[in-house]
Amino acid sequence: MFVNENADLYRHLTFASVGGFFGAYAILCRSGILASAQTMNLLELTLNALRGDAVAVLYVAGTMITVLLPHFFGIDMRRAAPVIDALACVALCFIPADANVILALYPIFFAMSVQWSTFSGAKGFVSSTIFSTNNTKQASLAFAQYITDGDRVHFKKVKFYLFTLLAFHVGAAVGFFAV
């Protein structure tokens, strides 16, 4: 069977665009809340859990199933994550525009936690497909390192993170036009 050595890279870039799309949807359709900003989400989920909201465990559950499903059922999460993203998209279609913003974003919280845990990089680089802050930092640091020592390894890193950022923002642009 032929395996493309760049398959992980192409998959990574594809899911970076999905992350951008979900980010744009959340910002444009749900009061500017970025459903991929997991630090804020975790704080919100913690506060909701302290208020007795049992649904607050969705992010943790999404992360855990990326280990549990392969272990107990032999499920390949690289195949399951796209299905989970698609189901989240379908679920979003049924949530009324006037629904509670945080509750309306639960499908994205869950899907993005699965995606982030499943696709954590490619080509030996750790990289998120659901937000761009660290990718911007890594591209900037690698570029500065390339300027200082001229080592082509740093330039490869710059290209990887720039393509990840491009894919993420193309996904956000698609989300903008879709909304």
Side-chain angles (χ1 to χ4, degrees), residues 71-104:
H71 179 78
F72 290 116
F73 302 104
I75 293 174
D76 181 351
M77 290 308 298
R78 292 172 298 170
R79 294 182 186 271
V83 173
I84 291 168
D85 283 353
L87 290 172
C89 276
V90 170
L92 292 171
C93 294
F94 293 100
I95 299 174
D98 61 349
N100 175 284
V101 175
I102 299 300
L103 290 175

Side-chain angles (χ1 to χ4, degrees), residues 8-21 115-116 119-139 156-172:
D8 280 343
L9 175 62
Y10 299 148
R11 188 180 299 120
H12 173 80
L13 295 176
T14 300
F15 279 95
S17 66
V18 170
F21 178 87
Q115 184 175 317
W116 192 13
F119 302 106
S120 57
K123 293 278 190 185
F125 300 112
V126 176
S127 172
S128 173
T129 59
I130 66 168
F131 56 86
S132 61
T133 310
N134 193 55
N135 292 325
T136 302
K137 174 189 168 189
Q138 293 301 324
K156 287 179 182 178
K157 187 175 183 179
V158 170
K159 288 192 321 187
F160 172 81
Y161 285 104
L162 286 179
F163 277 116
T164 300
L165 288 165
L166 176 64
F168 182 86
H169 290 92
V170 164

Side-chain angles (χ1 to χ4, degrees), residues 19-30:
F21 178 87
F22 274 124
Y25 167 85
I27 289 170
L28 294 170
C29 294
R30 300 296 174 181

